[in-house]
Amino acid sequence: MTKLLAVFVSILIAAIASSSNAFVVSPLNGVRSSGSELQMTVLTYNGKKVDFKAGSPLKNACAKLGVKPKYSCKKGDCGSCTISVAGNRIKACVGKVPPEPKLKSLQEKGLVVK
């Protein structure tokens, strides 16, 4: 049994060694590898503009902007923490910062938080 295991391990090592790209990580097809892989979204509140990473927690973004939503359950059930981001109502306790808008004017001015 141990001899069979030793033969299997030696065949496995030989197969891995013969493959020259066994441990090389290649970029995914169709994915651009530009210098700006990190997408940032500009949020504005009372004239204050701050960049946030798209997908980061909205409650942290609200704290940095100075928005103070009312929290009750902190799970998203009650809806008391709902705020408006660019006209869309999002629950601040469980919501994420939306992705950067496609329009150039919104990219420069930022998404308005109310």
Side-chain angles (χ1 to χ4, degrees):
M1 185 71 158
T2 55
K3 196 171 214 174
L4 181 64
L5 183 62
V7 170
F8 176 73
V9 170
S10 64
I11 292 172
L12 183 64
I13 290 173
I16 291 174
S18 67
S19 173
S20 62
N21 294 331
F23 298 106
V24 176
V25 178
S26 62
L28 297 174
N29 292 336
V31 177
R32 290 184 290 150
S33 60
S34 62
S36 62
E37 291 180 13
L38 184 64
Q39 294 225 347
M40 300 297 281
T41 302
V42 178
L43 297 180
T44 61
Y45 179 71
N46 286 342
K48 183 178 182 181
K49 292 183 185 180
V50 183
D51 287 337
F52 296 100
K53 181 180 172 187
S56 62
L58 191 58
K59 63 182 175 182
N60 297 345
C62 287
K64 286 185 180 179
L65 282 171
V67 179
K68 295 181 181 176
K70 297 176 182 172
Y71 294 105
S72 182
C73 68
K74 296 186 180 181
K75 296 185 293 183
D77 293 336
C78 66
S80 65
C81 62
T82 303
I83 61 170
S84 174
V85 178
N88 297 325
R89 297 172 56 91
I90 302 175
K91 295 176 183 173
C93 62
V94 294
K96 304 289 183 191
V97 174
E100 181 182 30
K102 302 267 189 242
L103 293 174
K104 189 77 168 174
S105 61
L106 288 177
Q107 289 175 357
E108 294 169 357
K109 292 179 183 176
L111 300 176
V112 178
V113 177
K114 295 181 183 177

